[in-house]
Amino acid sequence: MNLLDIAKRTFIIEADALQNAAKRLDENFLKAITIILDTKGKLIITGVGKSGLVGAKMAATFASTGTSSFFLHPTEALHGDLGMIGKGDTLLAISSSGESEELTKILPHIKRFNIPLIGLTSNPSSSLGQYADVFLDISVEKEACPLGIAPTTSTTLTMALGDALALALMEHRGFKEQDFASFHPGGSLGKKLFVKIKDLMRTESLPIINAKTTLREAIVTMSEGKLGTVLIVDEHQKFIAILSDGDLRRALMQKSFSLQHLAIDYASKNPKSYTNTELLASEALELIENDRIQVLPITNEDNQIIGALHIHDLINAGIKSK
């Protein structure tokens, strides 16, 4: 069997196992959902080895989709971390055999707390299966591993079952995009929904000149401002024009070009600007892209410049348009 055939075989075996598991979902799944919904404290995930790694991922998924959760290693629990479990919590334990030594050692102590125990195992007659208030079947016909030894299909199924629980809870609670983003403020979704113009706009050392400034002086200001642009104001400090590096290049093509001319003679009149600093940065990027500009000047209600937003600032911050 060549390497591609091995890869395809892995996909097929694991996909078949997921389909079979979907067909055998029953009332136990709903009981597990009810237990978690009724949990006043936290959902604690525990497991050893590969099951522990899957459990840590499950805890992270639950936590980011509205179910307060954390992972507790059984060995650490035996050495003091049982104190992290409270009476209002629920424990979700994972063990394919149901007999993992480190896990079975803490089960009697879990029962002392009189908290619900959801057991994910392939053996309902195992220690975990017997201790569990709800049994969720993670048995598989065979592992994708050619030797049938390495946990492959079983870990994929366990992770999928964790996702199914988390998403069912998410849907039941009416967990929305905004809720997800609030738990991921540094992610792309969080940035899209929470980062505003005021968070990214430049407010210091802005390249602002008055209407009587020569082109020579404007070029110096443009270089110092590092925006590729100068913003032009009138005698009342009102924003009236913008001179971009593109305007400057076009000016160089004119026969009458002179550095002694006023910068405003070559500037774009009635320039685009925005006054609402509460506008989402993702929406500001849309404005910039739609108007094909590089800089969005930000003004107050009197049309006085209070900041500037460069397209590079948005891109460097990981902002994407909607």
Side-chain angles (χ1 to χ4, degrees):
M1 184 178 293
N2 64 38
L3 298 181
L4 280 179
D5 287 338
I6 293 172
K8 292 175 183 178
R9 175 179 173 274
T10 301
F11 279 110
I12 292 170
I13 291 174
E14 297 196 0
D16 287 344
L18 292 178
Q19 289 183 337
N20 291 333
K23 292 175 183 176
R24 67 176 183 242
L25 283 177
D26 56 16
E27 289 298 314
N28 281 341
F29 182 86
L30 299 179
K31 288 179 183 177
I33 292 291
T34 300
I35 287 174
I36 298 172
L37 287 172
D38 291 340
T39 298
K40 305 300 181 185
K42 295 182 181 297
L43 174 63
I44 302 167
I45 318 291
T46 190
V48 199
K50 302 296 189 298
S51 294
L53 295 172
V54 171
K57 186 272 178 189
M58 286 170 58
T61 299
F62 279 118
S64 67
T65 52
T67 299
S68 185
S69 179
F70 68 86
F71 177 77
L72 175 63
H73 196 284
T75 301
E76 300 300 328
L78 285 170
H79 294 278
D81 283 359
L82 274 176
M84 300 171 69
I85 302 176
K87 290 185 178 180
D89 295 333
T90 291
L91 187 74
L92 188 154
I94 310 167
S95 172
S96 182
S97 68
E99 299 294 349
S100 300
E101 183 179 358
E102 300 91 335
L103 179 60
T104 56
K105 283 182 179 180
I106 70 169
L107 296 180
H109 302 289
I110 296 302
K111 282 303 180 181
R112 281 195 296 110
F113 293 116
N114 195 29
I115 65 172
L117 172 60
I118 301 170
L120 273 63
T121 177
S122 60
N123 184 4
S125 300
S126 64
S127 297
L128 176 57
Q130 293 300 304
Y131 270 105
D133 296 296
V134 176
F135 160 72
L136 294 180
D137 189 1
I138 56 170
S139 63
V140 296
E141 183 178 333
K142 59 182 176 181
E143 298 288 2
C145 168
L147 300 177
I149 299 173
T152 45
T153 309
S154 57
T155 50
T156 299
L157 172 57
T158 304
M159 192 173 297
L161 183 55
D163 288 343
L165 288 167
L167 299 184
L169 290 163
M170 181 180 175
E171 184 71 22
H172 185 276
R173 290 187 170 117
F175 197 81
K176 304 298 182 184
E177 187 180 61
Q178 290 79 3
D179 299 310
F180 186 86
S182 68
F183 291 137
H184 300 75
S188 60
L189 181 59
K191 291 175 181 177
K192 177 183 287 189
L193 295 179
F194 290 112
V195 178
K196 300 177 180 179
I197 283 179
K198 66 180 181 182
D199 300 318
L200 296 177
M201 72 179 190
R202 305 185 193 185
T203 57
E204 298 180 357
S205 303
L206 296 175
I208 299 174
I209 61 175
N210 63 56
K212 296 182 179 180
T213 302
T214 65
L215 191 57
R216 181 187 296 276
E217 296 170 307
I219 292 173
V220 173
T221 302
M222 183 184 292
S223 299
E224 294 174 346
K226 298 179 180 179
L227 280 177
T229 296
V230 287
L231 311 174
I232 305 175
V233 298
D234 63 15
E235 66 271 19
H236 303 294
Q237 298 303 306
K238 294 184 182 296
F239 181 42
I240 57 173
I242 187 169
L243 180 71
S244 68
D245 53 4
D247 293 324
L248 184 57
R249 286 193 298 271
R250 285 185 287 275
L252 287 169
M253 303 301 293
Q254 298 180 19
K255 291 183 179 180
S256 59
F257 173 80
S258 171
L259 291 175
Q260 301 307 316
H261 288 172
L262 298 181
I264 196 170
D265 293 338
Y266 302 103
S268 300
K269 312 298 191 300
N270 301 315
K272 300 286 184 180
S273 64
Y274 206 79
T275 58
N276 181 11
T277 59
E278 296 294 324
L279 182 76
L280 292 175
S282 57
E283 295 175 332
L285 180 57
E286 278 194 62
L287 293 176
I288 288 175
E289 290 176 337
N290 291 339
D291 292 332
R292 297 182 179 181
I293 57 177
Q294 286 193 327
V295 178
L296 181 65
I298 311 301
T299 59
N300 60 21
E301 294 180 354
D302 294 324
N303 199 33
Q304 296 173 329
I305 298 169
I306 59 172
L309 191 62
H310 197 287
I311 189 171
H312 291 165
D313 297 330
L314 294 164
I315 293 173
N316 291 338
I319 303 298
K320 297 180 181 179
S321 56
K322 288 190 171 183

